[in-house]
Amino acid sequence: MKNYSIGKSRRIRSTPYTSRIEKQGVTSYTTYNHMLLPAAFGSIEDSYHHLKKYVQVWDVAAERQVEICGKDSARLIQLMTCRDLSKSKVGRCYYCPIIDDQAGIINDPVVLKLNEEKWWISVADSDVILFAKGLAIGNNFDVKIIEPNVDIMAVQGPKSFKLMEKVFGEKITKLKFFGFDYFEFKGTKHLIAQSGWSKQGGYEIYVENTKSGLELYDYLFEAGKEFNIKPGCPNLIERIESALLSYGNDMDNGDNPYECGFDKFINLDSNIIFLGKEKLKQIKSEGIKKKLMGVILEAKEISLSRSLDIKDEKSNKVGELRSACYSPHFEKVIGIAMLDMTFLRMSKSVKIDIKNSTYNGKVCDLPFI
Ligand code: THG
């Protein structure tokens, strides 16, 4: 019988919502940006079905903001990403791969343009603030870089639209996907974006005023009763079915954005300046050697804590499985795998050893659904 808990400390930070989610029955945590990120409230499969039908509130404060402000802020932001931000607008979010000089992925954040000289990089699990500071120092940029006190609470699921309209009024229904604006709750303005790490729709509330944010948290559960609201968290099954990639799991610094299917977020033609641009041109002309793909396996359960080798029919290693779960939709195990291009050009059939059995599977495109 497994029975252990995470040792809390200043290094593994709690969030303003931690005491609430513990009362509400969080059953497991992961760490993310040196902070607690809830990973389950009981059964992940039950939570998956609930998320697809109703509405959930998530403590995703671990999606930390790296705030960059000052005269050179736009230059620094652009230096870090291969996505062209020269035509970016205030009030919009941009999904932006951050890469290094060798085009290895450093992070895949959402970037928010707050004004011409103020940006938030809403980071996945890696220390982007150190990378940003290094670049700013090395380039003598006139910028200030901090991690502000912003604790995101996500409201996700199909009923999130009705709930948020009930709480914030009709104005919020005008918000477009990946747009953000300020909305008032009992006299306090909160930055709210239509975004979130699920494909079920919803919002993210970037809470700066903690007191008001906690009041809002409690209020959402009251107002959400009629929509069958529950606490939740990024859901492993939903996010794999939707192919929302997880930095550190599906890709890391050893992978480049072409290998991860980020082609539409790469701009090599405009005259913007970013790190790794020459390397990306070279990769584009030579072609990639591996690619992130979906796999569907003839198995009924899996629990990954490290990558698993994927083999071809002759048992040669042709890649690695990086995330996987049992999918109620496919009634099979599905996963995200990095596979050799030479193999992909020849075959779609794979084999994998899970515990002491060998399972057959097929390669497919992402997303699954
Ligand atoms: N929200 C916020 N910050 C975050 C995440 C988030 N930081 C960490 C992590 N998640 C970053 N990773 C992603 C991955 C995918 C998306 C957002 C953040 C996402 N993708 C959409 C898609 O794939 O369809 C839209 C991409 C687009 O077309 O621009 O939403 O969840 N605040």
Side-chain angles (χ1 to χ4, degrees), residues 32 63 83 95 108-110 122-124 152 177-178 196-197 199 204 206 244-245 264-265:
Y32 198 85
E63 294 168 355
R83 182 165 182 181
Y95 184 44
D108 69 327
V110 176
S122 187
V123 297
I152 303 181
F177 181 67
F178 264 41
W197 215 56
K199 285 277 189 183
E204 291 182 302
Y206 289 71
L244 288 166
L245 300 184
K264 67 175 174 172
F265 306 116

Side-chain angles (χ1 to χ4, degrees), residues 330-342:
F330 291 99
E331 299 181 341
K332 288 175 184 174
V333 165
I334 61 170
I336 297 172
M338 190 59 91
L339 292 164
D340 297 344
M341 285 301 293
T342 40

Side-chain angles (χ1 to χ4, degrees), residues 93-119:
C93 304
Y94 298 90
Y95 184 44
C96 297
I98 291 184
I99 60 173
D100 63 21
D101 59 324
Q102 293 304 304
I105 302 177
I106 295 275
N107 204 285
D108 69 327
V110 176
V111 172
L112 290 80
K113 186 174 186 174
L114 300 171
N115 66 47
E116 295 302 329
E117 293 193 1
K118 184 175 176 186
W119 305 72

Side-chain angles (χ1 to χ4, degrees), residues 100-315:
D100 63 21
D101 59 324
Q102 293 304 304
I105 302 177
I106 295 275
N107 204 285
D108 69 327
V110 176
V111 172
L112 290 80
K113 186 174 186 174
L114 300 171
N115 66 47
E116 295 302 329
E117 293 193 1
K118 184 175 176 186
W119 305 72
W120 281 349
I121 312 176
S122 187
V123 297
D125 188 22
S126 74
D127 296 307
V128 170
I129 192 164
L130 304 181
F131 189 60
K133 285 190 186 207
L135 288 172
I137 295 163
N139 286 286
N140 258 313
F141 282 157
D142 181 359
V143 289
K144 193 175 136 223
I145 303 170
I146 58 160
E147 186 187 294
N149 290 319
V150 174
D151 298 289
I152 303 181
M153 147 174 42
V155 184
Q156 299 285 298
K159 292 285 191 286
S160 62
F161 300 98
K162 283 266 171 276
L163 172 61
M164 293 293 273
E165 184 180 356
K166 184 177 170 187
V167 176
F168 292 98
E170 203 208 323
K171 184 188 155 201
I172 203 159
T173 64
K174 307 281 189 296
L175 200 58
K176 294 199 179 85
F177 181 67
F178 264 41
F180 69 82
D181 205 341
Y182 291 85
F183 298 88
E184 204 170 301
F185 172 70
K186 296 190 178 172
T188 302
K189 287 206 155 119
H190 293 274
L191 189 161
I192 303 181
Q194 199 206 300
S195 57
W197 215 56
S198 87
K199 285 277 189 183
Q200 306 310 310
Y203 300 87
E204 291 182 302
I205 308 169
Y206 289 71
V207 173
E208 292 175 87
N209 182 323
T210 307
K211 189 164 177 283
S212 173
L214 289 174
E215 228 181 289
L216 174 57
Y217 185 96
D218 296 336
Y219 190 83
L220 284 167
F221 280 93
E222 277 305 309
K225 276 183 186 155
E226 63 170 305
F227 305 114
N228 191 17
I229 195 165
K230 282 191 178 170
C233 54
N235 186 281
L236 181 73
I237 305 170
E238 197 280 337
R239 80 98 184 156
I240 292 177
E241 284 186 355
S242 305
L244 288 166
L245 300 184
S246 169
Y247 186 76
N249 287 319
D250 305 320
M251 73 281 192
D252 60 30
N253 194 234
D255 308 313
N256 70 55
Y258 284 118
E259 292 166 344
C260 299
F262 288 149
D263 303 53
K264 67 175 174 172
F265 306 116
I266 304 171
N267 297 95
L268 295 179
D269 302 329
S270 64
N271 46 29
I272 54 166
I273 299 169
F274 63 83
L275 232 55
K277 191 173 187 178
E278 288 312 309
K279 185 70 188 181
L280 279 181
K281 284 182 183 168
Q282 185 197 333
I283 293 165
K284 191 181 180 192
S285 74
E286 288 174 1
I288 51 172
K289 295 180 181 63
K290 61 193 201 306
K291 189 164 174 53
L292 216 49
M293 300 292 292
V295 289
I296 303 187
L297 305 170
E298 299 299 324
K300 293 285 185 189
E301 63 180 313
I302 192 161
S303 164
L304 276 191
S305 53
R306 41 148 95 214
S307 52
L308 277 184
D309 286 356
I310 293 185
K311 295 169 182 163
D312 65 11
E313 281 168 325
K314 289 177 191 146
S315 291

